[in-house]
Amino acid sequence: MKQLETDVIVVAAGLSGLAAAISAAENGASVIAFEKANTTGGAANMGMGPLGIGSNIQKHQMVSLTPFEAFRKHMSFTHWNVDARLVRDYYAKSGDTIQWLEEMGVEFFGAMPAYAAPETMKPYATSEATWHVVKPIGGGLPGPRCAGAMMKCMTERAEELGVQVLLETPVKKILVEDGKAVGVIAVDKNGEEIEARGKAVIIATGGFGANPQMLKEQTGFEWGKNLFSFAIPGMTGDGLNMAWEAGAGKTPVTIELMYQIPDNMAHFAIEGAFRQPCLWVNKLGNRFMNEDGIPNTTFTGNAIVAQPDHVCYSIFDAKLLKHYKRNGPDIQSHVHPHDIYQQFDEAMKAAFAEGYEHVCEADSLEELADKMGIDKEGLLKTVEEYNEDCDNHYDSLFDKDRAFMQPIRSPKYYACRQYPGGYGTLGGIKINHKTEVMTDEHKVIPGLYAVGVDACAIYGHTYPFILPGNTMGFCLNSGRIAGENAAEFINE
Ligand SMILES: Cc1cc2nc3c(=O)[nH]c(=O)nc-3n(C[C@H](O)[C@H](O)[C@H](O)COP(=O)(O)OP(=O)(O)OC[C@H]3O[C@@H](n4cnc5c(N)ncnc54)[C@H](O)[C@@H]3O)c2cc1C
């Protein structure tokens, strides 16, 4: 067995792992990061940008939100059901972390809200301008994967500081002696075991979004049936299982919930085209929310979970499609392409040709109900009532924004199934505000830290999309906090 020795061992070189490694090295520690994949960056390579509050960018944009205002919003949103010290420390650090990233060469488009909530939903639904969207390598527009540029800069910074990143070398076990974390066992790409000894171990393995069995056990969702998440290979819950085996306490685990069509990245234009405030019904044909609220993907995900079989359908007709094609989407997501309706006919043709079963077009509402598996009588009754409300310019059921009250009565009809979706899992390992791992009895396990989504139990039941960029924000800042505390612990 190969032997290694260092000050700080970081288990994974994704977003929070790299933040922890850089911060420990900046504070004088020698660091080895073990990474399971053949590249660094983890799920963050897929995203767009982190939260920051009080950053210089926001000051230049005259965004006045302070860390304490965000803290109060967060704590009201979660009903104080989470660790206030950890939330406070995270937001207090988050503005400085944006500058810290800029110093590494990360460039941002600016700070923006993720969506605009309708007036009637504002108190708990309005998104603040906290999302610092990263400029992609080589320029271009904001969009999925642009945060890859941030991961590249962070990887380069870690290397510059002498952090040893061992790729394709998953950690299998945390070594605990006399109640203290003293190292790890890893396996390199040739299958050789490595025993690495260190004075502190930081776990950062990104949750278990790609482990259907753990998803079912821990959250009740069945992947591919009533949950379609970004199951990024490698996110199999290793950190949680190793930490629990080492004596860590457990927190509740949730999904970072949103909604999506199955295999959405392969049908991205279609997903964007149907993510509009048209007519949304459940399997019974009943409306279940005011559709102007769908830009809040978390609230909409929750609403879909509350429907029979966790599924709903968004429906529009030929007249509405013509309106979208002419004027663009009623709601422009920051994520989907700008020209979704220019791509629509081709994308639908391709989807039908490959037998993709989650969209349909039909000459009648009856045919649409049959094709999608919606209760026919329920749908016809709903459409009749909805069209009458549209004619009266008033949504008597949910008070939806009048601008979006467009009747559904001009064939062809188009529909798409929407399911709960998830970016990944949140929580599992119990930590305190210093990111030290604790037992169920709140006793610190000396030398053991956990960061990122493995330890992110600060959202309670629902992801606070009101402060967007929050998972990357937590991952970066918990990583920085852990690196600083681990370096201090070693010096003590
Ligand atoms: C499509 C998409 C878009 C997103 N967009 C945003 C956004 O714009 N803003 C935002 O705030 N959040 C966004 N997120 C969420 C955010 O990217 C993640 O929450 C964040 O990257 C998680 O960071 P982490 O460090 O906990 O895990 P990750 O960054 O996923 O890193 C985990 C790492 O652990 C490694 N690993 C696993 N097991 C082991 C092991 N046994 N040994 C060694 N290494 C191991 C993995 O290979 C991986 O590299 C998005 C997520 C997705 C999927």
Side-chain angles (χ1 to χ4, degrees):
M1 189 188 298
K2 218 191 283 178
Q3 306 283 334
L4 293 174
E5 200 159 338
T6 188
D7 289 336
V8 176
I9 294 167
V10 183
V11 184
L15 180 60
S16 58
L18 280 174
I22 294 168
S23 137
E26 282 177 344
N27 284 281
S30 61
V31 182
I32 299 178
F34 290 93
E35 170 52 53
K36 188 183 198 174
N38 61 7
T39 183
T40 57
N45 288 317
M46 307 274 293
M48 291 175 62
L51 165 143
I53 297 162
S55 70
N56 287 341
I57 291 174
Q58 284 162 318
K59 285 174 195 150
H60 288 134
Q61 285 181 213
M62 298 173 83
V63 174
S64 64
L65 183 75
T66 66
F68 275 125
E69 282 167 353
F71 167 77
R72 280 192 286 272
K73 274 177 191 284
H74 186 114
M75 295 312 291
S76 297
F77 186 89
T78 57
H79 300 172
W80 285 80
N81 223 347
V82 299
D83 183 343
R85 281 293 301 272
L86 182 57
V87 175
R88 182 253 170 235
D89 287 3
Y90 154 35
Y91 286 138
K93 205 172 190 61
S94 66
D96 179 70
T97 295
I98 299 296
Q99 273 94 261
W100 183 69
L101 291 165
E102 286 183 306
E103 281 156 20
M104 288 177 211
V106 181
E107 290 183 72
F108 295 96
F109 283 105
M112 54 199 286
Y115 63 91
E119 198 58 43
T120 44
M121 292 174 70
K122 273 197 172 153
Y124 285 97
T126 298
S127 165
E128 300 286 345
T130 56
W131 194 27
H132 288 67
V133 175
V134 177
K135 279 191 186 166
I137 297 164
L141 294 168
R145 301 193 178 91
C146 58
M150 175 170 76
M151 302 326 298
K152 186 168 177 286
C153 291
M154 289 180 72
T155 304
E156 286 166 3
R157 175 69 178 144
E159 282 164 359
E160 185 187 299
L161 287 163
V163 173
Q164 212 182 327
V165 180
L166 302 178
L167 298 175
E168 294 179 270
T169 310
V171 171
K172 300 288 181 188
K173 192 178 171 59
I174 311 286
L175 298 173
V176 179
E177 287 170 6
D178 300 327
K180 294 180 191 153
V182 293
V184 300
I185 300 290
V187 177
D188 74 12
K189 60 179 158 203
N190 303 317
E192 190 182 347
E193 281 205 341
I194 301 171
E195 181 180 294
R197 291 263 159 180
K199 296 171 196 139
V201 176
I202 303 175
I203 300 172
T205 65
F208 55 89
N211 185 335
Q213 195 190 331
M214 252 182 114
L215 278 171
K216 178 114 201 279
E217 282 164 13
Q218 302 285 335
T219 71
F221 283 107
E222 288 187 62
W223 201 93
K225 194 170 164 204
N226 56 27
L227 179 80
F228 291 85
S229 62
F230 291 97
I232 294 161
M235 312 304 178
T236 46
D238 299 2
L240 276 66
N241 287 318
M242 290 188 287
W244 292 335
E245 198 195 338
K250 290 187 180 181
T251 70
V253 182
T254 53
I255 301 283
E256 189 186 343
L257 202 70
M258 43 110 185
Y259 65 93
Q260 65 173 88
I261 64 173
D263 196 12
N264 62 343
M265 294 309 272
H267 302 281
F268 212 47
I270 291 181
E271 179 173 77
F274 280 95
R275 205 177 258 207
Q276 294 302 318
C278 43
L279 172 67
W280 288 51
V281 300
N282 64 14
K283 222 178 162 69
L284 307 174
N286 295 330
R287 288 178 70 211
F288 59 94
M289 68 181 290
N290 43 323
E291 295 88 342
D292 53 3
I294 60 147
N296 184 328
T297 52
T298 304
F299 282 8
T300 307
N302 279 347
I304 297 172
V305 169
Q307 304 313 309
D309 294 342
H310 295 355
V311 63
C312 77
Y313 309 81
S314 61
I315 301 171
F316 53 75
D317 66 1
K319 190 167 172 214
L320 207 40
L321 177 60
K322 196 171 159 197
H323 158 79
Y324 294 146
K325 280 184 173 169
R326 188 160 182 274
N327 304 308
D330 278 342
I331 291 176
Q332 175 71 59
S333 95
H334 297 301
V335 174
H336 294 94
H338 297 272
D339 58 347
I340 39 182
Y341 293 105
Q342 279 66 55
Q343 298 183 35
F344 184 76
D345 294 337
E346 273 304 305
M348 290 288 274
K349 220 158 89 187
F352 295 142
E354 72 172 58
Y356 183 67
E357 61 187 60
H358 300 287
V359 283
C360 85
E361 57 180 42
D363 292 321
S364 68
L365 287 166
E366 289 84 346
E367 186 192 342
L368 180 135
D370 281 342
K371 281 184 166 168
M372 289 273 99
I374 309 171
D375 180 83
K376 208 180 296 179
E377 275 179 31
L379 178 65
L380 293 176
K381 186 165 176 287
T382 293
V383 171
E384 193 185 328
E385 289 166 3
Y386 179 73
N387 284 349
E388 200 180 316
D389 274 0
C390 290
D391 294 340
N392 294 330
H393 306 291
Y394 175 61
D395 175 12
S396 61
L397 189 58
F398 288 123
D399 191 23
K400 166 166 139 180
D401 188 329
R402 284 155 204 243
F404 305 136
M405 291 299 288
Q406 302 296 332
I408 305 290
R409 54 165 73 106
S410 309
K412 287 185 179 232
Y413 301 101
Y414 302 87
C416 162
R417 285 198 188 99
Q418 308 271 7
Y419 287 94
Y423 294 103
T425 61
L426 296 167
I429 306 174
K430 200 177 188 69
I431 57 168
N432 61 17
H433 68 281
K434 294 169 88 176
T435 71
E436 292 167 318
V437 172
M438 296 191 294
T439 65
D440 278 325
E441 290 72 39
H442 292 249
K443 206 169 152 279
V444 167
I445 301 177
L448 191 58
Y449 299 80
V451 296
V453 296
D454 282 351
C456 183
I458 60 160
Y459 301 149
H461 173 271
T462 291
Y463 178 71
F465 205 20
I466 51 170
L467 295 159
N470 218 300
T471 24
M472 280 193 186
F474 180 80
C475 293
L476 278 163
N477 289 287
S478 60
R480 273 189 92 189
I481 292 168
E484 288 162 9
N485 284 323
E488 197 182 315
F489 172 75
I490 286 163
N491 290 334
E492 276 167 14

